Amino acid sequence: MTILAWIVRLALGLVGLTTLGLCGLALAAPFHWILALFGAWDRLILVFGLVGLTAFWLGKWRVMAVLQGVAVLALLFFNVRVPTLYPPFSPQQGDATREMVLTWANIHDNRLALKSLSLIPEVKKAKVIGLGEVPAYSNLQALFPSAQHLELASPSKETWGVETLGCRVVRPNGELAVWAGRNFGLKARCDGFTLFVLHLQNPTRGRGQGLTVRNLELQVLAAAVAKEPGPVLVMGDFNTTPSALPFYQLLKTANLKRVACGGPVAGTWRPIDWSGTAFDKIPGLKVTIDHILVRGIEVRACKVGSDVGSDHFPLIVTITEPN
């Protein structure tokens, strides 16, 4: 073998080792808060893993190619095992009187983002609105006149700024809380179903404490939804990607399905500094941490909304109102 051939083989091996390391970090993400971001971008790392697998194979690093293949299959398994509902690409026209549009958005304490959200045409028609990190003293009634039961909603420190409009809100009673006096979400009674709106803890906060709290919140949420009879819709900022084990356990415990809004790999969050840059236009760089989950509800359509000025993108879902 010539020197040039060895150089090429070593270069391919280094490419493979790099991607194998990334795959390993993504697989280890549930076990340490520092690795949470690797887990968040696991679908992008999966693509890199395929590149690394090809590099190992072309470089004739057969044993390493097998290891890389196992890592890629593991990442793929954790993504495809998630119970997922795919809305039709061309929704059929149903009974218009039973059509209901719901919107979720994490505003991130940004008044301009809240105003921009209210101007989206689909949001103007929404009967139910779910919001996260709502700025204090926001005039929600003026911004979202199409939603009912506005008198029950006011930005609250009790719920970390989580609010919902359009359904009869159950006053926070600690059912959706890990710490006393700090509810991570709201429960509301809508016509024909129960609604949960929430914002879970960021797992990268507090040197591991955030990850622990986030996982506890998912367990509390699973117990609350599991005991709720009839159709249920859950929406919010879960700070959790679909492949994460605690998220999968939530779906299985509460018999929920994740709605693939915008397609199987559409993202809902990226750093706010990326807004309007080239990074904002590269597929796969947005992370899916905002979710719509359903049980016993027909979903007609679901999309990721346009940029409103927050680091999160809104979710807009159209359902058939249960009887």
Side-chain angles (χ1 to χ4, degrees), residues 196 218-219 221-228 230 232 234 247-257 293-296:
F196 290 84
L218 285 167
Q219 293 175 18
L221 176 64
V225 176
K227 70 180 183 182
E228 196 67 38
V232 172
V234 186
F247 186 78
Y248 173 75
Q249 292 172 331
L250 161 69
L251 298 180
K252 299 299 289 185
T253 300
N255 194 25
L256 293 164
K257 286 188 176 181
L293 314 178
V294 296
R295 185 182 71 204

Side-chain angles (χ1 to χ4, degrees), residues 58-77:
L58 292 176
K60 298 182 180 180
W61 301 96
R62 300 302 188 225
V63 174
M64 300 304 296
V66 171
L67 291 175
Q68 182 78 316
V70 171
V72 167
L73 287 175
L75 286 174
L76 185 62
F77 168 74

Side-chain angles (χ1 to χ4, degrees), residues 199-210:
H199 181 192
L200 303 187
Q201 181 64 263
N202 185 336
T204 63
R205 298 281 173 84
R207 298 180 63 83
Q209 185 181 25

Side-chain angles (χ1 to χ4, degrees), residues 20-313:
L20 179 59
L22 288 174
C23 289
L25 291 172
L27 289 170
F31 305 106
H32 201 283
W33 65 274
I34 291 179
L35 305 179
L37 288 178
F38 292 98
W41 270 284
D42 63 344
R43 288 178 298 193
L44 183 61
I45 290 175
L46 180 59
V47 175
F48 291 151
L50 292 172
V51 173
L53 178 60
T54 304
F56 276 138
W57 188 260
L58 292 176
K60 298 182 180 180
W61 301 96
R62 300 302 188 225
V63 174
M64 300 304 296
V66 171
L67 291 175
Q68 182 78 316
V70 171
V72 167
L73 287 175
L75 286 174
L76 185 62
F77 168 74
F78 290 136
N79 276 277
V80 301
R81 69 173 176 173
V82 179
T84 304
L85 179 66
Y86 295 95
F89 288 106
S90 300
Q92 297 180 351
Q93 293 297 324
D95 185 355
T97 61
R98 294 180 58 200
E99 182 178 282
M100 176 182 283
V101 178
L102 303 90
T103 298
W104 157 261
N106 185 341
I107 299 303
H108 211 157
D109 203 27
N110 187 326
R111 295 189 185 279
L112 290 178
L114 186 62
K115 177 65 175 178
S116 297
L117 175 71
S118 69
L119 297 176
I120 296 176
E122 296 96 334
V123 176
K124 289 183 177 181
K125 299 186 298 181
K127 296 180 181 179
V128 178
I129 309 287
L131 301 169
E133 295 191 67
V134 180
Y137 310 110
S138 298
N139 190 344
L140 301 179
Q141 184 171 4
L143 290 169
F144 305 103
S146 63
Q148 300 177 349
H149 301 288
L150 292 163
E151 73 282 355
L152 297 179
S154 59
S156 170
K157 292 181 180 179
E158 273 192 334
T159 57
W160 199 6
V162 172
E163 300 300 334
T164 183
L165 319 175
C167 297
R168 296 173 296 278
V169 177
V170 177
R171 291 295 181 184
N173 57 7
E175 181 184 20
L176 298 176
V178 172
W179 298 326
R182 199 291 196 181
N183 301 276
F184 59 79
L186 288 170
K187 181 168 72 173
R189 304 295 182 187
C190 306
D191 292 336
F193 66 98
T194 302
L195 173 71
F196 290 84
V197 182
L198 53 96
H199 181 192
L200 303 187
Q201 181 64 263
N202 185 336
T204 63
R205 298 281 173 84
R207 298 180 63 83
Q209 185 181 25
L211 179 63
T212 301
V213 172
R214 196 278 314 269
N215 291 344
L216 287 174
E217 289 174 340
L218 285 167
Q219 293 175 18
V220 170
L221 176 64
V225 176
K227 70 180 183 182
E228 196 67 38
V232 172
L233 189 146
V234 186
M235 60 182 179
D237 175 4
F238 288 72
N239 270 311
T240 311
T241 52
S243 61
L245 178 60
F247 186 78
Y248 173 75
Q249 292 172 331
L250 161 69
L251 298 180
K252 299 299 289 185
T253 300
N255 194 25
L256 293 164
K257 286 188 176 181
R258 171 184 169 262
V259 181
C261 298
V265 296
T268 64
W269 176 89
R270 48 62 174 124
I272 190 63
D273 293 340
W274 290 5
S275 179
T277 68
F279 292 108
D280 218 4
K281 300 173 183 175
I282 299 176
L285 287 188
K286 296 185 181 71
V287 177
T288 308
I289 58 175
D290 300 86
H291 304 286
I292 305 286
L293 314 178
V294 296
R295 185 182 71 204
I297 291 178
E298 179 187 352
V299 177
R300 297 188 183 185
C302 192
K303 62 178 286 189
V304 179
S306 56
D307 185 0
V308 296
S310 170
D311 53 347
H312 293 257
F313 289 77

